[in-house]
Amino acid sequence: MSLFTNSAKDSPPSLGPSPAVSPSPSPSPRPNALLTTKTLKNTILKSHGRPPWYGEDGQPISQAFVVGIAGGSSSGKTHVARQIVRSLGSIPTVIIMSQDSFYKPHTPEEIKLAFASRFDFDHPDSIDMDLFASCLADLKNLRQTNIPVYSFESHQRLEETKYLYGATIIITEGIMALHDPKLRELYDLKIFVQCDSDFMLARRITRDIKERGRSVEGILEQYLRYVKPSYDNFVGPSSRYADIIVPGKDNSVAIELISTHIRRQLEKRSRHFRRKMTVSLQRSLSRGPPRPLTNEELGLTVLDQSPQLKGIYTVLRDVTTTRQDFIFFVDRLATVLVEKAMEMLPYRDKTIETPVGVKTIGKTIDTESVCGVTILRSGGPLERGLQRVINDVPIGSLLVQSDSKTGEPILLHVMLPVCIRDRRRAENAWVFLLDAQIGTGASAFMAIRILLDHGVPPSHIIFITFLIARSGGIAHLRRTFPEVTIVTGAVDDGLHEAWVEEKEEERGPDWEDEGGRKVWVVEPGMGQIDKGIHKHLLTSWVFWDLVMIITSSLVLRAHATIETA
Ligand SMILES: Nc1ncnc2c1ncn2[C@@H]1O[C@H](COP(=O)(O)OP(=O)(O)O)[C@@H](O)[C@H]1O
Ligand SMILES: O=c1ccn([C@@H]2O[C@H](COP(=O)(O)O)[C@@H](O)[C@H]2O)c(=O)[nH]1
């Protein structure tokens, strides 16, 4: 449904042969129109890209910031959550998660009682607190999670789940959000929305008639029998755990204070990251290693340097190569690299019978699932190579871009194949991670970390790339993730920072007035370089990546606008 959320029932990303049909970040179709209102309420996501939340050792340096909002039914919890997001302005990704999603599954008898307003949804036992706490703990600890989807119209938990990943801030709201100690332990900030009971009842009547298909009689019966007693016994008393009490109306001052507090906390964390990682990476790159490390020392799997392979690279490095030849040879090389990477998969014996009736023992891939993840913008040709070698392979994508001011890699888009969106499946999957080259290693670092967050074992990650800069971030990458296999066709010695001179009409959004755009250039490098721009890359597969970026930024912009449910 958004950059970082998807129903686990989504169809796998498109497997078509051309990048024109690459996995799209567009919203997945909603399986049930009745869900729309609640889905929008439960999970609102706002994103301006996510900075890394791990240090140079590859380990997380901070957790997501978690806010818990409790209060009576219709006190304005959701409203407060949304206003906080609005007031935060330009901040990294936020997930709003509603406790409503965690109502326990109901038996047919319980559903009958619910339709007769005779079921107690307001007792703490009606909510699956353990599941709620474990999903919240996953998100807080920067792992993905799959939350249940609940339908108020049918009073039932649905079969599907919603995939969530990547939030820097999680705001969770619900009548019992402060009741359970397991939940309270996870919050960095606890809020209680205090509202006059007449207001709450009036709002509830309006909402339940409009959005939940109820009658006034039913609403009042449920209110007097369950909602009011529960407020008096459980919800109201939980206000003593709150750090801040927010009024249920005219609360803009309180919301401004809360968002200022959250912004300060986030600033502290981001300074922490810059000090720990970006600076040291840049410093070590500018100094370079004491002596160039060999391919063996770097633990790389490099294609056999046959005259044929060298011939392919010669064409790709030659400034006079035509666009058509470049695309042809890059496609050819992608296939060779993927074939090499296929040797890293586990295989087991398989007995078959030949057409002449003879039994023989062969080999077959021995794993539950294999998929690819392309690092946009330039993993495209490798994606085609993978599709040529494994029929129907699911392929996802990540968009990582360097922040032009801080140098930090920023995660802008995540669309992972279904087989790694669920932790249990991810633990048994093998993933081909695809990117054209490893220079500073910042994108590779972030992409590997994302796969680890999802539970993919490092030994099941096979990074495939055309080119590696020996003096770049590769040594650091290998030290940090020694179990990840890296397959390449060439290792070049040079890596330096350069300014790209662009014509006025070519200037992108990250253009800096004082002197252009900074890029890292591998030398001798691959692809024709025309005034600092990889001409072929820009004119061939990157076209499709640009389509992805534009689509992603549209989705980003859509999420910068708070959805109204
Ligand atoms: N501060 C507020 N000012 C105006 N309307 C509000 C305010 N807070 C809530 N509402 C309205 O009250 C209704 C219930 O609010 P909601 O946030 O959905 O309650 P809850 O999540 O606590 O059940 C909604 O229609 C919402 O627009
Ligand atoms: O199937 C259900 C589940 C819950 N309820 C009522 O919902 C409110 C909690 O939701 P808010 O958005 O916080 O108001 C709770 O008071 C339950 O009574 C329901 O009616 N049917």
Side-chain angles (χ1 to χ4, degrees):
M1 106 138 231
S2 69
L3 290 188
F4 301 97
T5 73
N6 266 296
S7 161
K9 271 191 144 185
D10 287 353
S11 51
S14 162
L15 310 177
S18 138
V21 286
S22 283
S24 148
S26 61
S28 53
R30 295 192 195 286
N32 179 347
L34 286 176
L35 275 181
T36 306
T37 311
K38 206 59 202 167
T39 307
L40 286 172
K41 179 182 170 182
N42 280 348
T43 316
I44 301 172
L45 204 137
K46 179 176 175 158
S47 179
H48 296 275
R50 194 204 83 184
W53 45 39
Y54 43 79
E56 57 186 338
D57 57 357
Q59 296 307 313
I61 52 169
S62 64
Q63 296 173 312
F65 190 87
V66 185
V67 182
I69 307 178
S73 172
S74 293
S75 58
K77 302 179 293 296
T78 313
H79 185 84
V80 166
R82 286 185 188 150
Q83 290 306 111
I84 293 173
V85 176
R86 197 185 293 273
S87 162
L88 281 168
S90 179
I91 34 86
T93 314
V94 183
I95 287 176
I96 298 183
M97 192 163 83
S98 176
Q99 196 171 49
D100 299 345
S101 306
F102 296 90
Y103 278 111
K104 288 177 180 165
H106 299 124
T107 62
E109 291 70 38
E110 288 170 336
I111 293 173
K112 243 188 230 162
L113 288 173
F115 276 110
S117 305
R118 292 290 173 119
F119 188 83
D120 188 357
F121 288 105
D122 291 74
H123 193 276
D125 288 350
S126 64
I127 291 161
D128 191 340
M129 297 287 184
D130 289 342
L131 184 61
F132 189 12
S134 97
C135 290
L136 193 55
D138 278 340
L139 289 173
K140 183 177 172 103
N141 290 308
L142 317 173
R143 298 186 291 261
Q144 99 287 14
T145 197
N146 293 287
I147 66 165
V149 178
Y150 185 79
S151 163
F152 277 86
E153 288 78 8
S154 56
H155 298 288
Q156 185 59 296
R157 184 184 287 183
L158 303 181
E159 293 256 306
E160 68 204 83
T161 56
K162 184 180 276 285
Y163 162 87
L164 295 175
Y165 173 68
T168 307
I169 302 170
I170 302 146
I171 304 178
T172 177
E173 60 81 22
I175 53 173
M176 298 294 164
L178 294 185
H179 174 80
D180 194 286
K182 286 188 294 297
L183 291 171
R184 290 200 300 271
E185 261 172 41
L186 294 167
Y187 301 136
D188 297 293
L189 182 66
K190 300 187 270 300
I191 297 173
F192 189 87
V193 183
Q194 190 92 60
C195 190
D196 182 273
S197 57
D198 292 346
F199 259 115
M200 291 197 279
L201 179 56
R203 285 171 175 177
R204 183 166 167 130
I205 292 171
T206 315
R207 182 200 60 194
D208 282 6
I209 290 173
K210 248 205 262 170
E211 295 175 13
R212 298 183 184 173
R214 307 284 161 77
S215 68
V216 178
E217 296 73 28
I219 296 167
L220 290 178
E221 186 171 352
Q222 188 186 1
Y223 183 81
L224 294 173
R225 195 184 290 271
Y226 305 116
V227 182
K228 177 86 170 74
S230 162
Y231 186 85
D232 295 340
N233 292 329
F234 306 111
V235 184
S238 73
S239 66
R240 69 174 178 276
Y241 302 114
D243 301 309
I244 179 163
I245 307 280
V246 173
K249 63 184 185 71
D250 302 329
N251 45 23
S252 51
V253 174
I255 283 162
E256 197 44 53
L257 281 173
I258 293 167
S259 60
T260 304
H261 173 78
I262 297 174
R263 231 180 278 123
R264 284 208 189 112
Q265 295 295 315
L266 289 180
E267 273 163 22
K268 267 192 205 158
R269 293 175 185 198
S270 72
R271 269 203 297 276
H272 190 46
F273 168 76
R274 277 171 212 146
R275 202 177 57 240
K276 275 195 92 162
M277 186 177 167
T278 317
V279 175
S280 74
L281 180 63
Q282 302 263 350
R283 205 179 291 139
S284 75
L285 281 173
S286 61
R287 275 202 222 114
R291 67 172 172 81
L293 297 173
T294 64
N295 295 349
E296 291 69 37
E297 285 169 322
L298 288 169
L300 302 174
T301 301
V302 184
L303 293 180
D304 180 27
Q305 298 295 298
S306 64
Q308 185 197 199
L309 184 79
K310 286 184 176 164
I312 294 176
Y313 274 93
T314 304
V315 174
L316 296 177
R317 293 178 191 280
D318 187 346
V319 73
T320 63
T321 299
T322 63
R323 176 171 176 255
Q324 220 175 359
D325 279 351
F326 189 89
I327 293 170
F328 176 83
F329 279 91
V330 103
D331 276 352
R332 204 177 136 196
L333 178 58
T335 312
V336 179
L337 281 165
V338 175
E339 292 286 7
K340 182 71 189 173
M342 290 290 289
E343 293 173 13
M344 315 298 161
L345 294 178
Y347 289 83
R348 63 176 159 79
D349 288 350
K350 184 180 181 188
T351 304
I352 51 144
E353 196 178 312
T354 70
V356 289
V358 178
K359 287 211 164 123
T360 183
I361 299 174
K363 291 279 179 199
T364 187
I365 294 174
D366 187 18
T367 173
E368 202 179 288
S369 46
V370 179
C371 65
V373 174
T374 309
I375 302 178
L376 299 173
R377 298 182 284 181
S378 52
L382 285 162
E383 190 174 313
R384 287 199 298 279
L386 183 59
Q387 282 163 333
R388 235 174 269 123
V389 176
I390 309 181
N391 203 15
D392 283 349
V393 62
I395 299 185
S397 59
L398 301 170
L399 175 59
V400 182
Q401 280 192 320
S402 292
D403 183 307
S404 56
K405 290 191 180 65
T406 63
E408 283 183 17
I410 303 287
L411 178 66
L412 290 175
H413 152 82
V414 180
M415 175 63 83
L416 294 180
V418 171
C419 65
I420 53 172
R421 285 192 218 163
D422 170 84
R423 184 154 292 270
R424 195 209 56 77
R425 291 187 68 192
E427 280 165 2
N428 295 306
W430 283 73
V431 184
F432 292 109
L433 199 49
L434 314 171
D435 199 6
Q437 64 180 36
I438 298 179
T440 64
S443 303
F445 209 95
M446 195 173 214
I448 291 170
R449 192 56 254 176
I450 289 163
L451 296 181
L452 299 180
D453 288 346
H454 282 74
V456 179
S459 57
H460 287 199
I461 299 173
I462 304 168
F463 199 109
I464 310 178
T465 184
F466 294 119
L467 197 59
I468 292 174
R470 193 183 302 283
S471 58
I474 186 66
H476 178 75
L477 194 71
R478 290 298 306 173
R479 265 200 311 279
T480 313
F481 305 115
E483 291 175 70
V484 172
T485 301
I486 301 179
V487 178
T488 188
V491 185
D492 283 8
D493 287 333
L495 179 73
H496 66 257
E497 228 177 345
W499 287 103
V500 176
E501 294 295 330
E502 284 173 337
K503 290 182 200 143
E504 207 165 320
E505 62 272 19
E506 288 169 343
R507 293 174 186 179
D510 53 352
W511 173 267
E512 285 178 17
D513 285 344
E514 294 83 27
R517 192 160 56 90
K518 258 186 187 176
V519 290
W520 287 95
V521 179
V522 181
E523 274 186 4
M526 201 183 94
Q528 292 181 347
I529 294 171
D530 176 36
K531 292 184 191 145
I533 300 169
H534 294 259
K535 190 168 82 185
H536 287 301
L537 298 185
L538 279 175
T539 50
S540 55
W541 65 78
V542 164
F543 169 74
W544 296 112
D545 293 338
L546 285 173
V547 172
M548 289 294 289
I549 289 163
I550 291 163
T551 321
S552 294
S553 67
L554 287 177
V555 179
L556 281 166
R557 218 165 293 149
H559 285 286
T561 319
I562 296 172
E563 295 171 62
T564 46

